[in-house]
């Protein structure tokens, strides 16, 4: 075999194990060229999405270049939504579903989402999060988890997978071996999970075992250090965790996908190209890239790095070929899943996105009220709403709307609102007296928080406002913390569906 042909075949293998993102609502020429050259997957983000119909045209164009192309999306519903990033998700997220703890409801919500994704041409969804959020200070998981109890998370992980895949879209359990007990955001640095193996087996692994038993064919690795299994390498780069634990102990034989390879947890030490090579060597079959680094040059860099690693003897060609084979196997299986899902729709199982109202029903069922809120509601006049807005982590799109004021104004005309950020309070450019208390004089005051227990400035603001206005209603849209007011509403997530559910209760229109 000539060296040029050898390099060409290696490049096709290298491209086939990448799952890149791109910019724009139409397929760029470079993506189409790379598909011709062997690229087997792409991943969509909110920047690629205007509507379900537009995405369907985009994915049809992509598949015209390769009918077996895997089209992935990072769509969890709830706070992390791409398909509805412009409006906020019409379905609640995992914590809301885990709070209701009705697996049939979770399955119905996931099936509803799956129908929308399938119509858009998506074949793989990077969901559900199977992480057990055992650390309340976790900056990256929080309401994205079904809860802090492994049993609850396991049964809803199972239900989500079953529902999504019944609609023809493959699920992907993440972030193995469990991202729930960390205190660092892996987008920026490397978190550690210092528990021993027995604790990990009891706390973090049960949902992944349940996912494998439920027929999940894709698992996403997490960028976290788990010293009990590997004191040196994060899970995405660790053969001990991916091969020995996931494949060996848990018996998973499907596709291992990396979390976004450009994240700081792995690139700070190895660079994006070094991290990609080490991930594939450790057992990753598909390297997700492009949440941030979505350029043609990034894909070219990673493909070149994989080829060079094989030629230098740093990455066995057999390992790269094995990864490419698993991608092909998954593409074939997910194509069959999509066809079966389409047959189910043809038989009458379809509905418009959230068309049967299941998202609204689920969000409403997840709302919890303190006793005082039950007696103080509904409001008898249009309120002033103060929304305390944290800096969103990178998994949650900055563009995604959230809150209660918008849907409340639709139900109670005359509602006014202000959104306050921590930096504004710290810099003194905004004062709660003038923006919150004075406009609420003689009117109801509604305070909306999002993970107040995790943000000292927000907790202080809630405490100060409720001291001045003991009759204020506090709506917590993140993880429930300590009771800080006589009347509280907990939505267990900040999706559009959850905001609307809170507004209905406040206005008495539910």
């Amino acid at each position: 075999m000539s060296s040029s042909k050898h390099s060409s075949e290696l490049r096709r293998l290298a491209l086939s194990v990448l799952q890149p993102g791109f910019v724009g609502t139409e397929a760029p020429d470079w993506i189409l060229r790379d598909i011709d050259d062997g690229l087997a997957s792409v991943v969509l983000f909110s920047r690629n999405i205007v509507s379900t119909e537009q995405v369907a045209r985009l994915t049809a164009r992509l598949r015209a270049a390769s009918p077996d192309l895997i089209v992935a999306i990072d769509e969890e519903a709830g706070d992390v939504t791409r398909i509805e990033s412009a409006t906020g998700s019409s379905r609640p997220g995992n914590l809301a579903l885990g709070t209701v703890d009705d697996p049939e409801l979770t399955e119905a919500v996931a099936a509803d989402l799956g129908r929308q994704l399938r119509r858009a041409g998506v074949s793989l969804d990077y969901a559900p999060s199977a992480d057990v959020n055992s650390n309340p200070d976790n900056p990256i998981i929080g309401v994205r988890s079904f809860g802090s109890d492994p049993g609850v998370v396991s049964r809803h992980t199972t239900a989500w997978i079953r529902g999504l895949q019944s609609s023809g879209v493959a699920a992907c359990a993440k972030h193995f071996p469990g991202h729930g007990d960390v205190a660092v955001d892996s987008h920026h640095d490397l978190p550690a999970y210092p528990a021993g193996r027995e604790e990990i087996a009891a706390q973090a692994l049960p949902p992944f075992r349940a996912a494998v038993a439920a027929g999940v064919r894709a698992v996403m690795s997490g960028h976290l250090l788990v010293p009990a299994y590997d004191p040196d390498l994060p899970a995405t780069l660790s053969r001990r965790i991916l091969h020995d634990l996931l494949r060996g102990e848990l018996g998973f034989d499907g596709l291992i996908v990396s979390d976004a390879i450009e994240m700081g947890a792995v690139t700070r030490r190895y660079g994006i190209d070094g991290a990609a090579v080490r991930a594939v060597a450790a057992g990753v079959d598909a390297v997700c890239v492009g949440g941030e680094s979505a350029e043609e040059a990034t894909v070219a860099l990673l493909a070149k790095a994989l080829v060079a690693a094989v030629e230098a003897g740093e990455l066995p060609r057999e390992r790269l070929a094995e990864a490419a084979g698993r991608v092909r196997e998954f593409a074939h299986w997910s194509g069959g899943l999509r066809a079966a899902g389409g047959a189910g729709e043809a038989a009458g199982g379809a509905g418009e996105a959230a068309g049967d109202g299941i998202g609204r029903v689920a969000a409403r069922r997840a709302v919890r009220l303190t006793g005082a809120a039950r007696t103080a509601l509904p409001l008898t006049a249009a309120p002033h709403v103060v929304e305390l807005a944290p800096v969103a982590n990178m998994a949650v799109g900055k563009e995604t709307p959230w809150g209660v004021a918008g849907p409340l104004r639709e139900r109670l005309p005359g509602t006014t609102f202000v959104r306050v950020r921590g930096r504004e309070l710290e810099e003194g450019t905004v004062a709660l007296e003038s923006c919150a208390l004075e406009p609420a004089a003689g009117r109801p005051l509604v305070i909306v928080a999002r993970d107040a227990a995790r943000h000292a400035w927000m907790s202080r603001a809630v405490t100060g406002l409720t001291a001045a206005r003991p009759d204020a209603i506090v709506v917590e849209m993140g993880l429930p913390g300590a009771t800080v007011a006589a009347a509280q509403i907990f939505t267990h997530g900040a999706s559009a569906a959850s905001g609307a559910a809170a507004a209905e209760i406040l206005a008495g229109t539910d």
Side-chain angles (χ1 to χ4, degrees):
M1 181 185 299
S2 68
S3 60
S4 61
K5 184 176 181 181
H6 175 75
S7 294
S8 176
E9 289 188 0
L10 274 182
R11 185 171 184 273
R12 289 192 71 85
L13 285 177
L15 282 172
S16 74
V17 304
L18 301 179
Q19 291 192 342
F22 56 90
V23 176
T25 56
E26 296 183 0
D29 289 341
W30 70 266
I31 277 282
L32 298 175
R33 286 195 301 270
D34 279 352
I35 291 172
D36 284 339
D37 289 344
L39 187 69
S41 313
V42 297
V43 57
L44 304 180
F45 293 94
S46 56
R47 61 178 176 242
N48 307 119
I49 295 168
V50 174
S51 67
T52 301
E53 294 72 25
Q54 167 264 323
V55 178
R57 292 192 295 272
L58 169 61
T59 56
R61 177 68 185 94
L62 291 166
R63 287 209 176 89
S66 174
D68 293 330
L69 187 75
I70 299 166
V71 178
I73 195 169
D74 186 20
E75 173 62 51
E76 299 177 15
D79 289 28
V80 179
T81 180
R82 313 304 179 203
I83 199 73
E84 296 183 294
S85 63
T87 59
S89 179
S90 57
R91 307 167 185 92
N94 284 1
L95 183 61
L97 296 171
T99 298
V100 177
D101 199 11
D102 178 353
E104 290 185 0
L105 178 68
T106 296
E107 184 173 347
V109 169
D112 184 60
L113 173 62
R115 288 191 289 269
Q116 182 182 12
L117 295 181
R118 190 195 169 280
R119 284 195 303 277
V122 171
S123 54
L124 169 62
D125 186 11
Y126 295 152
S129 168
D131 306 296
V132 179
N133 197 66
S134 50
N135 184 346
D137 292 327
N138 194 320
I140 187 63
I141 301 300
V143 297
R144 299 166 65 194
S145 167
F146 291 112
S148 59
D149 180 85
V152 170
V153 177
S154 295
R155 60 178 167 266
H156 289 279
T157 293
T158 295
W160 180 277
I161 292 166
R162 189 165 54 230
L164 189 72
Q165 296 192 165
S166 73
S167 294
V169 177
C172 177
K174 64 184 184 186
H175 307 81
F176 188 82
H179 215 299
D181 193 10
V182 303
V184 172
D185 185 342
S186 52
H187 287 91
H188 306 298
D189 211 339
L190 180 62
Y193 180 21
R197 291 195 181 194
E198 288 187 6
E199 182 180 340
I200 293 170
Q203 186 73 20
L205 295 183
F208 291 98
R209 293 187 185 277
V212 173
V216 80
R217 296 289 293 274
V219 170
M220 178 177 282
S221 64
H223 299 329
L224 69 160
L225 194 68
V226 189
Y229 286 94
D230 193 327
D232 302 313
L233 295 170
T236 298
L237 314 183
S238 171
R239 182 170 175 82
R240 297 177 188 175
I241 292 174
L242 299 184
H243 183 271
D244 299 349
L245 178 59
L246 179 55
R247 294 222 185 275
E249 186 176 327
L250 271 64
F252 178 67
D253 64 356
L255 187 75
I256 298 179
V257 184
S258 78
D259 203 349
I261 205 66
E262 66 263 48
M263 289 164 64
V266 291
T267 59
R268 281 194 170 200
R269 183 172 179 181
Y270 302 104
I272 190 171
D273 49 349
V277 169
R278 285 168 172 79
V280 174
V284 164
D285 304 307
V287 177
C288 173
V289 63
E292 301 166 69
S293 303
E295 307 81 18
E296 178 182 7
T298 299
V299 177
L301 173 66
L302 299 190
K304 183 178 179 181
L306 290 166
V307 170
V310 172
E311 292 178 336
E314 298 167 1
L315 172 64
R317 190 183 193 283
E318 295 75 20
R319 169 78 275 270
L320 183 61
E322 178 191 38
R326 288 191 186 276
V327 171
R328 287 193 301 272
E329 290 172 5
F330 181 87
H332 177 74
W333 172 79
S334 64
L337 193 68
R338 288 182 67 241
E345 290 188 10
E352 289 306 308
D356 56 4
I358 193 65
R360 177 182 178 277
V361 169
R364 180 62 184 85
R365 287 182 63 185
V367 175
R368 300 290 183 267
L369 284 69
T370 62
R374 293 188 184 93
T375 57
L377 298 175
L379 299 173
T380 56
H384 182 58
V385 180
V386 180
E387 295 182 340
L388 303 172
V391 176
N393 69 58
M394 292 184 68
V396 179
K398 294 179 180 179
E399 73 284 352
T400 304
W402 68 279
V404 173
L408 191 54
R409 280 186 297 176
E410 296 174 4
R411 293 160 175 82
L412 287 177
T415 294
T416 57
F417 91 102
V418 63
R419 181 163 284 188
V420 180
R421 295 167 177 81
R423 179 181 297 177
E424 296 169 331
L425 293 179
E426 292 167 359
E427 294 176 348
T429 55
V430 167
L432 292 177
E433 180 71 29
S434 59
C435 76
L437 295 175
E438 290 176 6
R443 306 168 56 191
L445 174 62
V446 176
I447 305 163
V448 182
R450 193 172 181 181
D451 288 324
R454 282 196 52 247
H455 302 283
W457 72 267
M458 193 182 300
S459 182
R460 286 194 301 269
V462 172
T463 300
L465 289 171
T466 54
R469 284 290 301 266
D471 62 329
I473 307 291
V474 176
V475 181
E476 173 57 79
M477 302 192 78
L479 281 177
T483 299
V484 295
Q488 285 188 270
I489 298 173
F490 300 97
T491 62
H492 303 97
S495 69
S498 297
E504 289 175 353
I505 293 169
L506 287 162
T509 58
D510 60 313

